[in-house]
Amino acid sequence: NVTGVQTCALPILDQAMARGLADAVAERRGRARFAHVAELFALAPLDSGQVARLAEAVTVHGNTAGIDPRWAPRAALASVPGLDEREIDTYLAGRLRLGASPPAAGRAFFVDSPASAYRIEIEAELPGRARYRLTVVARLTQETQRPYTILAWR
């Protein structure tokens, strides 16, 4: 989605680079699905820091034409023009409640998507203050023998 990619990329990239990346994503999606956010390296001259920041704001595991606020990470919501930190904090605190409405300022960028891919984040602190973080992206399938597929693991 050109608008969603460009919107999420604007806080990280300049206007021309964000538009170029959005156009390249739209062209590539017509030919093949993305398997990992790191594939953005091949589409635009991004450094590893830009890709890492984009990875917090975008996903390549859905087929929607926008940002689904029910599942979007903070970085994606923060990229939506007109949303301020207070609105985002309020929405994130209550979005799991039944009937919670997304912020009105972002409605032009929001979509409802059928969720088939999920990002699971686990953080553990061990004695001695050692901290570990695991992020897994899994897609649900319709297969009884293989009900899910791991798309990313870091």
Side-chain angles (χ1 to χ4, degrees):
N1 157 288
V2 175
T3 303
V5 171
Q6 188 171 357
T7 301
C8 290
L10 277 174
I12 300 162
L13 308 174
D14 65 43
Q15 178 76 33
M17 188 176 262
R19 180 62 193 187
L21 177 61
D23 290 343
V25 166
E27 191 277 325
R28 158 76 188 271
R29 272 207 171 143
R31 293 182 285 116
R33 288 184 73 132
F34 289 89
H36 194 275
V37 173
E39 291 179 83
L40 296 173
F41 269 128
L43 301 178
L46 305 174
D47 63 41
S48 59
Q50 290 169 323
V51 170
R53 289 192 313 275
L54 281 172
E56 295 300 318
V58 301
T59 180
V60 297
H61 305 296
N63 289 321
T64 60
I67 299 168
D68 189 332
R70 297 171 303 166
W71 315 111
R74 171 180 285 284
L77 294 172
S79 70
V80 174
L83 285 184
D84 63 37
E85 290 295 318
R86 189 176 49 75
E87 285 178 294
I88 294 169
D89 289 341
T90 300
Y91 178 64
L92 289 175
R95 75 173 164 186
L96 296 181
R97 287 192 319 262
L98 187 61
S101 296
R107 291 228 169 99
F109 298 91
F110 294 154
V111 297
D112 286 335
S113 64
S116 63
Y118 298 89
R119 180 167 62 185
I120 304 161
E121 294 184 2
I122 303 164
E123 192 170 300
E125 184 175 328
L126 301 177
R129 297 258 194 236
R131 295 187 87 148
Y132 296 93
R133 184 177 180 184
L134 172 65
T135 302
V136 178
V137 178
R139 173 173 284 135
L140 300 180
T141 70
Q142 300 296 317
E143 304 168 25
T144 56
Q145 298 298 316
R146 188 175 174 196
Y148 63 90
T149 301
I150 302 297
L151 302 172
W153 182 282
R154 63 181 155 98

